[in-house]
Amino acid sequence: MPDLSRYKGIVFDMDGTLIDSMGAHGLAWQQTCEKYAYPFDGEYIHDLGGVPTREIVKLLNEKYGLSHDLDEVTETKRLAFLALNDNPSIIEDTFEVMLAHQGKLKMGVGTGSERNNAIRMLTNTGLLEHLETVVTASDVTHGKPHGETFKTVATNMGLQANECVVFEDTEIGRLAAKNAGMDCIMVINGKIVLPQ
């Protein structure tokens, strides 16, 4: 268990950090890529975890020289994810951190998911009741790796950025924490990796 005594708040990423949903997202992306003739690269998509769907579509268009409608592809991916009716599980390592610091530190989520999806997943897993705030791609102008998502979580909790620590599972998320002026603890394959 990491020592968080120097912080007043924790900011959790959601997908792949608190909730094991990355597999379902990958499958939905694979279906979407097939429909729009994007070559599917699972590792590339995973590495973009935390980036809003619409931004990923923009990156795919640029990468493969295509010009698909951003909103149309975004909606296709959203519907593909919902159709999977995935029942994601809680990631135990980060949930233990949440429970250990409940009532001692303020806690929020900063995610690249759209608001409706995030609230549904956090409610279904019982995590929402542990959080003071949830900031999603729907709530910010600049998604990760920009620091706005995490800064907004801190502001909503009444804290300064340097009073918070972020838990993240992707390099994009780690950069977002750095850009927000926050320390970051990585969660790799569901396990917390303590800084050396």
Side-chain angles (χ1 to χ4, degrees):
M1 179 85 57
D3 176 9
L4 304 182
S5 56
R6 58 182 289 244
Y7 304 106
K8 294 182 180 177
I10 305 173
V11 183
F12 294 101
D13 169 52
M14 186 179 76
D15 295 300
T17 301
L18 267 181
I19 300 175
D20 185 9
S21 54
M22 293 302 275
H25 279 292
L27 201 53
W29 270 116
Q30 186 172 1
Q31 293 171 3
T32 303
C33 286
E34 285 170 5
K35 180 173 179 177
Y36 291 96
Y38 296 116
F40 178 69
D41 180 344
E43 192 172 322
Y44 176 72
I45 292 292
H46 182 272
D47 289 346
L48 291 174
V51 176
T53 303
R54 196 170 190 278
E55 288 301 309
I56 294 176
V57 176
K58 191 174 172 188
L59 290 170
L60 288 171
N61 274 345
E62 290 169 5
K63 181 172 179 158
Y64 298 114
L66 297 168
S67 56
H68 294 302
D69 181 85
L70 302 184
D71 294 325
E72 180 187 326
V73 181
T74 299
E75 181 64 5
T76 298
K77 191 271 176 178
R78 185 184 76 83
L79 293 174
F81 180 75
L82 290 175
L84 291 170
N85 207 8
D86 187 48
N87 196 7
S89 57
I90 292 172
I91 294 174
E92 288 300 321
D93 273 30
T94 45
F95 187 54
E96 285 173 15
V97 169
M98 182 180 268
L99 292 180
H101 295 89
Q102 196 74 54
K104 300 172 193 162
L105 299 179
K106 294 182 176 184
M107 288 182 242
V109 158
T111 177
S113 286
E114 299 298 321
R115 174 157 283 280
N116 290 345
N117 180 52
I119 297 301
R120 178 180 59 82
M121 290 179 67
L122 291 167
T123 301
N124 290 350
T125 51
L127 293 169
L128 189 62
E129 63 195 58
H130 298 280
L131 302 167
E132 296 204 22
T133 185
V134 177
V135 176
T136 71
S138 313
D139 308 312
V140 296
T141 305
H142 307 288
K144 302 174 189 178
H146 194 282
E148 183 184 356
T149 299
F150 293 150
K151 281 184 180 175
T152 305
V153 174
T155 300
N156 290 355
M157 297 191 299
L159 299 175
Q160 298 297 314
N162 63 2
E163 296 176 311
C164 299
V165 62
V166 172
F167 283 78
E168 255 291 356
D169 69 311
T170 66
E171 178 61 17
I172 297 265
R174 190 192 68 74
L175 285 172
K178 183 180 176 188
N179 291 333
M182 298 180 184
D183 291 335
C184 185
I185 295 172
M186 295 302 291
V187 181
I188 306 299
N189 296 322
K191 297 293 174 193
I192 292 171
V193 180
L194 295 176
Q196 298 299 320

